[in-house]
Amino acid sequence: MLIKNAVLDRIVAGEIDTLFRRQKRPTVKTGGTLRTRIGMLDIVRIDRIELDEISARDAKRGGFASVDEVVAELTQKPEGDFYRVRVRLGGPDPRDELRDRAALEPDELDAVRASLDGFDRRSPRGPWTRPFLTMLAERPHVRAPDLAESIGWETKPFKENVRKLKGLGLTISHSPGYELSPRGRAVLAAIG
């Protein structure tokens, strides 16, 4: 579920706790979480609704001036069911704390190495994790399309793989590009 930055800022400010979506199937579930730019969001509840079930209070909780505004936004998409999603701040993204931890215990390093080896084994392109870590260390803040092109990759699969590294706390995303986190630099030095 993509959430606009302005909406995320209003969630942080306590102005919004309700999102509306039109989708063929929901991409979140009650009790789940969602990673965002502001940290984790808890999905308190998701309900399939009909348009006539949206109340003025719902509209206000979603940051809209009226029910008509909500309906107008939801009906821009031609198909899908309508959903009301209640959210709340869930705390910081655990990857943020992880990426700052450069001192790895031997078993922690072994676990990261096993994850990287697994990514490499499952890749139809062959091993990529160590070359990516090295490239990001040598070329911080370079646009993803430029990095991808420099190694003969398309941008989308390149970014998907960098996200896998980010999930291990090894990279930091910027606009533009990426850099290795303190943890990523420590891992690269250890496994080089």
Side-chain angles (χ1 to χ4, degrees):
M1 171 185 294
L2 293 176
I3 304 172
K4 294 177 182 173
N5 284 336
V7 173
L8 290 170
D9 292 339
R10 292 185 72 191
I11 291 171
V12 169
E15 299 170 5
I16 291 177
D17 72 352
T18 301
L19 307 172
F20 294 95
R21 293 290 184 267
R22 186 172 197 179
Q23 300 171 312
K24 292 182 182 178
R25 60 181 174 77
T27 57
V28 296
K29 62 181 180 178
T30 297
T33 57
L34 183 66
R35 290 182 207 272
T36 72
R37 167 184 72 75
I38 60 169
M40 302 302 288
L41 284 184
D42 292 334
I43 307 303
V44 177
R45 183 177 176 104
I46 180 167
D47 294 299
R48 187 183 169 286
I49 59 170
E50 298 299 329
L51 292 177
D52 62 4
E53 295 177 66
I54 300 170
S55 68
R57 184 167 185 262
D58 283 337
K60 184 175 180 179
R61 289 175 74 173
F64 294 91
S66 68
V67 172
D68 290 340
E69 275 189 19
V70 178
V71 171
E73 182 166 309
L74 287 173
T75 55
Q76 286 179 11
K77 287 179 84 174
E79 54 186 40
D81 293 324
F82 302 106
Y83 294 93
R84 178 180 52 226
V85 184
R86 302 277 193 224
V87 299
R88 70 172 168 238
L89 287 175
D93 185 334
R95 297 177 303 181
D96 293 346
E97 180 184 326
L98 185 64
R99 71 184 188 196
D100 292 331
R101 286 198 345 235
L104 284 85
E105 296 295 324
D107 60 333
E108 203 175 359
L109 180 59
D110 289 343
V112 171
R113 183 181 281 125
S115 293
L116 296 175
D117 291 344
F119 293 152
D120 286 341
R121 256 191 327 276
R122 291 185 296 276
S123 172
R125 292 179 176 247
W128 61 269
T129 59
R130 278 110 178 129
F132 271 42
L133 290 170
T134 301
M135 176 177 25
L136 297 178
E138 294 171 353
R139 300 179 66 195
H141 299 274
V142 175
R143 292 176 55 242
D146 297 334
L147 292 171
E149 183 181 358
S150 75
I151 58 171
W153 282 56
E154 293 176 13
T155 302
K156 184 179 177 188
F158 175 84
K159 289 172 102 175
E160 289 169 352
N161 281 352
V162 172
R163 276 194 292 277
K164 292 175 185 174
L165 299 175
K166 186 176 183 178
L168 296 175
L170 305 181
T171 65
I172 301 170
S173 297
H174 294 289
S175 184
Y178 313 93
E179 71 174 311
L180 289 187
S181 66
R183 180 183 180 89
R185 290 191 298 274
V187 166
L188 182 60
I191 67 173

